[in-house]
Amino acid sequence: MKLLSIPLLLLILISCNTDLQKNTEELPKIAIAGLAIESSTFSPAISEEEAFHAKYGDEVFTRYPFFAEDSLLRSAANWFPTVIGKSIPGGAVSKKAYESLVNKTLERLKKGMPYDGIFFDIHGAMSVVGLDDPEGDFIIRIREVIGKEPIISTSMDLHGNVSPRLAENTDLITCYRMAPHEDAMETKRRAVTNLLDRIKSGKGKPKFKAWIPVPILLPGEKTSTRVEPAKSIYAEVDPITKQEGIIDAAIWVGYAWADEPRNHAVVMVTGDDKEKVSQAAEKLAQKFWDARNEFDFVSSVGSLSESLDAAIESNKHPFLISDSGDNPTAGGAGDVTWTLKEILDRPEFKKTDGPSLIYASIPGPELTKVALKAGVGAEIEASVGAAVDNRYAPPIKLKGTIESIKEGDVNAGVEVVVKVGSVHVIVTEKRKPYHYIKDFTDLSLKPTETDIVVVKIGYLVPELYDIRADWIMALTPGGVNQDLERLDYKRIKRPMFPLDKDMEQPDLSAQFIPSSN
């Protein structure tokens, strides 16, 4: 084999490097930004900046498996990640926290200009103290920095809200098609691939964006895609996107626990064929409206007393109970003590050999601090809960035995299991949802071998759903009360179903939203 001379080898290497540099320069430049939280305005809690666990720069890539370093999508563009913040749901965001995170995003966007596009990853149900429609405000401020030319592709939760100004200033928009959100990452990936396709094909922004507000406001627990009618309605979405001339279609249920004019269901379809876009949007909107009286809770429901009676009498274990009114993953404060007080007052649970029950969970920073000093096995007595939301019950003086302690959880901080009678109470330094089996087993708890598991949640997420032997949703008080008629709405648009059950047929004709240009 003939060896290449050193000058020739250097020439080839220089040529390859030049080609590589040229190819890199030809790739589209796309920024990544977004803030996500679901905020209940009926909760007294306030969400601050630290709740978002913001990631900056290249750290952003770790949020998305499809952006792994060796992935095809990672190499498909020159990505410029700025700020991505994602909080577990909570109360309204303080204006200071919102402004800080938005300004950090804008400053980073300025450094990377110009852009061909932006992947805008939001939830859509953020409320900010003193500000309506934060996502609409955020995207307008992004446009003021980057201009009107870049294509913005927005990914959302189906429990988000799409205001006209959010719809106008984005170009491509999509949302989850499953509740529970098993397709969350698939949806974000779709938003990215739609964006890349429109940039690389030269097709640019869609010619038409049809937006239809549907005057329905329902909780997610009545609109789960596991059951009808949402199951069939959402099954219509994907086939629509396969039509020539349509890019994407989406149905937003909206967010029921915020009192803002933008909070209601919405249908949007984007594409280049005006007639198909219009017809598809109107078809989905009408189907959603026509099914309004068919929506019902995804599980059996009852008062807490009825739920506990059913669980105690049942021979199916584990029997799961959703403590739905203070669900932190819907925006509840997470520290309402009413349910825990009722459980501890029941005579069945006062003895250690009573029905085994896990309660997940109640914040109690005072108790976790004492527990760290006392250690596992020690007796403890300290106050828990109701530091944020004491409208329904006061703090509880919890007295029991420390069974386990865990430090360092990203949300909870310190976690302590306290045994009171036959009840295992999970006490956290800061609020945390318990969705995964590992959340329990890391604390030496065995939910699959426990008689009753009470979780602050609405519909069960997949792992909990899979282990249930039976399940009931307890209609408990809190900032995300499932009985919407008990909530003091003042600002949502009326009439609104189901608050106004006998309202007339609304206008569900497609409204074409102006281009972001």
Side-chain angles (χ1 to χ4, degrees), residues 312-339:
I312 291 166
E313 292 168 9
S314 177
N315 59 4
K316 297 178 180 178
H317 304 132
F319 193 113
L320 269 71
I321 299 176
S322 295
D323 180 9
S324 65
D326 192 37
N327 173 12
T329 55
D335 80 335
V336 173
T337 57
W338 186 86
T339 297

Side-chain angles (χ1 to χ4, degrees), residues 155-177:
S155 169
M156 296 178 67
D157 190 303
L158 64 82
H159 297 125
N161 309 291
V162 186
S163 67
R165 63 178 184 169
L166 175 60
E168 179 175 342
N169 285 281
T170 191
D171 302 298
L172 305 167
I173 190 164
T174 192
C175 75
Y176 306 160
R177 297 169 186 169

Side-chain angles (χ1 to χ4, degrees), residues 198-442:
R198 298 299 288 195
I199 293 173
K200 292 193 171 187
S201 68
K203 293 178 181 177
K205 299 182 179 184
K207 293 178 181 177
F208 303 102
K209 296 183 289 186
W211 177 84
I212 304 178
V214 185
I216 294 176
L217 194 59
L218 290 169
E221 283 68 26
K222 283 191 173 182
T223 51
S224 171
T225 58
R226 279 187 181 139
V227 296
E228 299 295 351
K231 184 176 182 179
S232 293
I233 293 170
Y234 274 87
E236 301 261 355
V237 175
D238 186 59
I240 284 173
T241 67
K242 302 295 190 290
Q243 295 180 37
E244 188 70 29
I246 290 180
I247 301 168
D248 205 276
I251 305 170
W252 285 263
V253 171
Y255 181 64
W257 293 292
D259 190 15
E260 295 181 17
R262 66 181 178 144
N263 287 62
H264 50 74
V266 162
V267 168
M268 272 194 78
V269 179
T270 55
D272 300 322
D273 186 313
K274 185 175 185 179
E275 185 176 354
K276 286 183 180 179
V277 166
S278 174
Q279 288 177 352
E282 291 175 0
K283 175 186 176 183
L284 292 175
Q286 192 63 53
K287 278 186 172 292
F288 197 83
W289 175 255
D290 289 345
R292 67 193 181 281
N293 288 305
E294 299 172 33
F295 290 102
D296 202 355
F297 287 115
V298 67
S299 71
S300 300
V301 297
S303 67
L304 179 63
S305 178
E306 291 168 338
S307 301
L308 288 170
D309 287 345
I312 291 166
E313 292 168 9
S314 177
N315 59 4
K316 297 178 180 178
H317 304 132
F319 193 113
L320 269 71
I321 299 176
S322 295
D323 180 9
S324 65
D326 192 37
N327 173 12
T329 55
D335 80 335
V336 173
T337 57
W338 186 86
T339 297
L340 180 57
K341 178 182 180 300
E342 294 294 312
I343 291 170
L344 295 177
D345 283 347
R346 296 272 303 220
E348 297 94 337
F349 303 115
K350 289 189 178 294
K351 296 181 179 179
T352 56
D353 60 352
S356 59
L357 186 147
I358 296 173
Y359 185 78
S361 61
I362 193 76
E366 176 190 326
L367 185 144
T368 59
K369 187 177 180 180
V370 173
L372 284 173
K373 292 181 180 178
V376 173
E379 296 297 309
I380 192 168
E381 184 175 5
S383 181
V384 300
V388 176
D389 195 345
N390 62 3
R391 294 174 294 176
Y392 313 100
I396 290 176
K397 187 69 77 170
L398 198 66
K399 183 178 181 180
T401 305
I402 301 171
E403 291 209 325
S404 65
I405 300 173
K406 179 173 176 283
E407 297 181 72
D409 185 87
V410 66
N411 290 309
V414 179
E415 300 165 276
V416 178
V417 176
V418 179
K419 179 80 176 296
V420 184
S422 64
V423 179
H424 303 262
V425 183
I426 301 176
V427 183
T428 57
E429 181 183 2
K430 295 175 286 186
R431 71 193 182 109
K432 172 190 172 176
Y434 283 76
H435 285 180
Y436 305 104
I437 304 306
K438 192 173 186 296
D439 291 334
F440 297 91
T441 56
D442 280 354

